[in-house]
Amino acid sequence: MPLPLPRLRTVVLVAGAALLAKRALHRRIQNSPLWPLPALEEPVSGHSERRTTATRRLLITERTTPAEGVVQLRLEGSALPAWRPGAHLDLLLPSGLVRQYSLCGDPADPDTYTIATRLVEDGRGGSREVHERLQEGEEVEIHDPRNRFPLADAPAYLFVAGGIGITPILPMLRSVAASGADWRLLYGGRTRASMPFLDEIEKLGAEGRRVTVVPEDEAGHPDAAAALADTAEGTAVYCCGPGPLMDAVTAALPPGRTLHLERFTAAASSADSGPFEVELRRSGRTVRVAAGQSVLAAVRDELPYVSYSCEQGFCGTCQQRVLAGEIDHRDELLTESERDDSMLICVSRCRGERLVLDL
């Protein structure tokens, strides 16, 4: 039964008024810098391409122990993205933690990724979860490989590895050995039993005495300065391992050599680590970041929903846009263009007294 004409006229008028009000409110939001939120471009927060990277599920088909305290996992899928020596992937652990592990298998195998990790007794839980929870026959999620430690063409190579730092370097050794390139390896560890892939590595370098193995319990620490002094100009130097080892290589690097580093944790900055303020522009709040406190920790006291994962400056989950202030970048992930106007708030800080974030 059709509505009486007066009632129909009333419905039309109410609907028209609601539409006009909605349009007026929309214009007000777009034009106003203050109400109800600043009219900024879309923020990085919650929209990072790295956070929305598609995951893929792989099957753990083999779990081995290549050295004391080290677990190696063979992950199988189908037609996996190609990778080159030096690449790593993000492993999404069942607890929700995300950890980065270097690929140490064969890049020519299209259906398999291989990773290895050492148990860190006093770590933040990622390695323990891998060691205690991940077993053959289970599925895990990953993000596709990335490479910030690529093997470049060079007339000669010196590789310096400490302990589990051998994982990104192992595929490089296989590659340069197969190509006939001039290469040397200085490999240190606590004991021979704790040094993964040692048998394979010594076989690769058997001809020409290319490999120097330095177990700490037998010979102390590797002499990086002596190894570097024996290199020719133009040598590419690749180093992965504990911070003191990489610091020693950096300090002793002769002129004319190129240095490539892969860190387990974000590099410390020599800049002032004192307190500073962070304005959260869209939220209308200001937080104080204490000396020794991360921006992430200070921000989460006010905005608990802010995303984060690795807390080491590797995964990009906590990337935020910076609207003002000078950034002290301490991450190992962002490109130079990204560093112009964004930061990873889990590790990076402020070089002055104030930062303004699009949060």
Side-chain angles (χ1 to χ4, degrees), residues 104-105 165-175 197 200-201 204:
C104 55
I166 194 64
T167 50
I169 287 176
L170 180 59
M172 297 184 183
L173 299 180
R174 297 178 182 137
S175 177
F197 316 118
E200 178 186 356
I201 288 168
L204 282 173

Side-chain angles (χ1 to χ4, degrees), residues 9-219:
R9 185 180 299 113
T10 301
V11 169
V12 171
L13 289 174
V14 170
L19 179 60
L20 291 175
K22 182 178 179 181
R23 288 176 176 174
L25 179 61
H26 182 67
R27 285 195 299 271
R28 185 177 181 186
I29 291 172
Q30 284 190 319
N31 297 331
S32 172
L34 299 174
W35 184 91
L37 287 174
L40 301 173
E41 296 177 2
E42 183 176 300
V44 171
S45 175
H47 298 271
S48 170
E49 291 183 2
R50 293 191 178 88
R51 270 198 299 283
T52 56
T53 300
T55 61
R56 66 177 69 237
R57 297 188 68 84
L58 302 182
L59 180 68
I60 302 174
T61 58
E62 185 178 66
R63 174 185 163 122
T64 57
T65 306
E68 289 180 356
V70 177
V71 162
Q72 177 176 282
L73 301 177
R74 179 183 175 92
L75 312 176
E76 291 192 9
S78 178
L80 300 178
W83 62 279
R84 295 181 181 275
H88 70 277
L89 55 75
D90 295 336
L91 183 64
L92 284 63
L93 295 170
S95 66
L97 293 174
V98 180
R99 293 293 183 263
Q100 291 69 44
Y101 295 109
S102 297
L103 291 167
C104 55
D106 182 1
D109 186 341
D111 300 321
T112 301
Y113 292 151
T114 302
I115 60 174
T117 178
R118 182 181 300 284
L119 176 62
V120 181
E121 294 288 353
D122 58 349
R124 296 174 303 113
S127 67
R128 182 169 296 282
E129 188 170 354
V130 172
H131 279 244
E132 295 181 355
R133 294 190 59 180
L134 300 187
Q135 304 294 332
E136 289 182 17
E138 296 181 355
E139 287 190 333
V140 291
E141 289 189 333
I142 68 159
H143 290 156
D144 291 345
R146 304 191 301 270
N147 199 338
R148 58 169 180 258
F149 192 49
L151 181 64
D153 291 332
Y157 299 90
L158 172 65
F159 301 98
V160 182
I164 198 65
I166 194 64
T167 50
I169 287 176
L170 180 59
M172 297 184 183
L173 299 180
R174 297 178 182 137
S175 177
V176 296
S179 70
D182 181 12
W183 65 276
R184 298 287 186 277
L185 168 68
L186 178 62
Y187 184 17
R190 293 193 303 274
T191 65
R192 283 183 172 269
S194 72
M195 300 169 70
F197 316 118
L198 190 55
D199 289 345
E200 178 186 356
I201 288 168
E202 290 185 320
K203 289 177 181 178
L204 282 173
E207 293 184 10
R209 298 182 179 180
R210 297 180 184 276
V211 176
T212 301
V213 177
V214 187
E216 186 178 342
D217 64 338
E218 298 176 18

